Amino acid sequence: MSNSERFDLVVHGGHAVTPAGTDELDVGIRDGRVVALGALSQADATARIDAKGLHVLPGVIDTQVHFREPGLEHKEDLGTGTASAALGGVTAIFEMPNTKPSTLSPADLADKVRRGREKAWVDFAFFAGAAAENLDALPEMERQEGCSGIKIFMGSSTGSLLVDDPEVLAEVLRRANRRIAVHCEDEARLRERKAIVEKEGASVDLHPVWRDDQTAYLATEQLLNTARATGKRVHVLHVTTEEEMDLLAKNRDIATVEVTPQHLTLAAPECYEAIGSYAQMNPPIREARHREGLWRALQNGVVDVIGSDHAPHTKDEKARPYPNSPAGMPGVQTLLPLMLDHVNQGRLSLTRLVDLVCHGPARIYGIANKGRLTLGADADLSLVDMKAKRTITHEQMASRCGWTPFDGREVQGWPMATIVRGHIVMRDDELQKDPLGEPVRFVETLATN
Ligand code: DOR
């Protein structure tokens, strides 16, 4: 690529993190694509962005968010959720099907894509929810524009989606052609143990006692057995226990693994003492032993992806007495700052982080043209300052819920600009221009085995 060619945008002076390593490389962008990587100081460009002192990462893809639209817009919508993503340095999101209605039909999914086109700040895709009653609709949904894959809830959480019948679980796996992402908690054990939290005066620190490590392990084990029997691969969401990680390490051929920043950062009982039901999520934050187990798995290569499980609920809803307080916490805006801070603390390298939030999502879901900073890729970039020290606050959050479990936490490492297909959508903590999100595209040849 010669310097005399004109670019729409040049990101210059930054350290670009490419599959070949981290180098001082300018990024030349035209028509939404990366068309040059190299020294472009003399190049003709319509716009330039000075990235001196910054790292230029491929756009961060958050493959697990709940943006609540349609039906629960008092908590969040696709506008506020994706604004929160852009402010957090996230360039694409995959949204979960436990909205109202649940995303169970081709029409439900098409409706979400239409809404996304109107108001999303970043690129988007939506999961098809799996249930006994929509098995026949799944193949068509999988082929639809903007479908990221299939989501299964093996245990009840927010909303009514549930696959607790082993036969239905096997049937969903048999029929699936795209990635199957699974929330693993054993429904029978959850019901058996509910009495623990239904007694008078139960407090939120019982959340990980009710939804204990066995509850998670049993479901993950059952899922792996079903995957083995049906010859399909599965993606296990928000893994929370050391023992599940040991099991998953032995099943790398059939399962990929997600962890969340909150399970890597918080621990019981301290989090419940500090912020009460704001720390309540499913599966729960557990004691430090498990958190260390998750870090070990991450460092040993067992973890494929970090997703935020952004799950906003209003402060009023969270104030209901436990266990009537809903489970879930927002996280799309804090995913990158928290993880950059972990990089600065020496818990993982920046390269490994890029593997977990860019390459991993692209690999697992078969995303076309995103996840790697290479020539020809979509010009999705997250520009981060590894030296910037900031304090995370409720006030910064663009999520409609208006709070974060990390209020008051000091971090080092901060997103300074978010670029989606060559458009600057966030700079210096301010949204720019208008929402221009589009459906994420997927490679057509993706098979689940
Ligand atoms: O804590 C959670 N909240 N876990 C889930 O699985 C669902 C989520 C939500 O949608 O609120």
Side-chain angles (χ1 to χ4, degrees), residues 66 68 98 153 157-158 183 238 280-283 309 311 313 327-328:
H66 302 263
R68 311 301 194 199
N98 57 338
F153 282 92
S157 193
T158 302
H183 177 124
H238 43 41
Q280 178 191 345
M281 70 172 292
N282 301 332
D309 194 11
H313 298 284

Side-chain angles (χ1 to χ4, degrees), residues 91-381:
T91 57
I93 58 92
F94 290 0
E95 207 268 344
M96 286 293 163
N98 57 338
T99 42
K100 224 169 160 183
S102 301
T103 317
L104 289 171
S105 72
D108 295 331
L109 205 133
D111 178 51
K112 282 191 165 182
V113 171
R114 185 185 57 72
R115 291 164 184 266
R117 278 210 165 90
E118 273 171 22
K119 53 174 100 159
W121 287 89
V122 301
D123 286 351
F124 51 82
F126 299 101
F127 282 95
E133 64 272 20
N134 80 335
L135 290 173
D136 291 338
L138 290 175
E140 184 181 341
M141 293 177 81
E142 285 185 311
R143 287 192 300 270
Q144 270 179 275
E145 177 187 46
C147 179
S148 46
I150 294 175
K151 166 73 183 282
I152 297 173
F153 282 92
M154 289 177 71
S156 302
S157 193
T158 302
S160 55
L161 282 172
L162 182 63
V163 175
D164 61 347
D165 175 341
E167 244 328 291
V168 177
L169 178 70
E171 198 50 34
V172 176
L173 265 61
R174 265 184 226 117
R175 292 184 187 211
N177 291 302
R178 299 280 301 280
R179 190 61 69 221
I180 311 156
V182 189
H183 177 124
C184 291
E185 289 186 286
D186 183 76
E187 182 65 13
R189 190 170 169 92
L190 282 179
R191 289 202 184 133
E192 260 165 49
R193 294 172 67 81
K194 184 92 204 256
I196 292 173
V197 293
E198 278 174 337
K199 61 175 193 252
E200 185 93 11
S203 79
V204 67
D205 53 320
L206 287 174
H207 198 57
V209 179
W210 166 33
R211 305 179 87 106
D212 68 347
D213 40 7
Q214 262 308 97
T215 305
Y217 187 89
L218 286 173
T220 296
E221 187 180 45
Q222 187 197 346
L223 176 68
L224 291 171
N225 290 339
T226 310
R228 194 65 72 198
T230 54
K232 288 294 168 80
R233 303 197 75 214
V234 288
H235 180 53
V236 187
L237 297 168
H238 43 41
V239 174
T240 56
T241 68
E242 191 181 10
E243 289 77 13
E244 282 172 285
M245 286 300 187
D246 292 343
L247 183 63
L248 287 160
K250 295 182 196 130
N251 287 277
R252 295 291 294 151
D253 56 328
I254 52 165
T256 47
V257 174
E258 179 199 71
V259 290
T260 75
Q262 50 275 39
H263 290 109
L264 290 169
T265 306
L266 303 174
E270 295 82 1
C271 65
Y272 301 108
E273 287 159 15
I275 57 171
S277 62
Y278 288 103
Q280 178 191 345
M281 70 172 292
N282 301 332
I285 309 287
R286 307 189 190 280
E287 63 268 41
R289 165 176 90 79
H290 289 298
R291 182 178 59 185
E292 300 327 312
L294 303 186
W295 274 111
R296 250 192 326 280
L298 187 149
Q299 285 150 359
N300 291 340
V302 177
V303 178
D304 296 275
V305 65
I306 292 176
S308 74
D309 194 11
H310 177 90
H313 298 284
T314 66
K315 291 180 198 162
D316 284 350
E317 291 164 339
K318 279 291 196 182
R320 289 181 205 144
Y322 182 79
N324 297 323
S325 43
M329 53 179 93
V332 70
Q333 197 171 335
T334 47
L335 180 155
L336 190 55
L338 287 172
M339 293 313 302
L340 293 174
D341 189 60
H342 285 306
V343 170
N344 274 316
Q345 305 284 333
R347 297 197 182 95
L348 76 169
S349 67
L350 188 59
T351 310
R352 176 70 171 127
L353 177 58
V354 166
D355 181 49
L356 291 162
V357 295
C358 308
H359 304 170
R363 193 172 63 235
I364 291 167
Y365 288 98
I367 301 172
N369 252 23
K370 296 189 188 292
R372 284 150 55 96
L373 180 41
T374 53
L375 289 186
D378 285 357
D380 294 350
L381 303 172

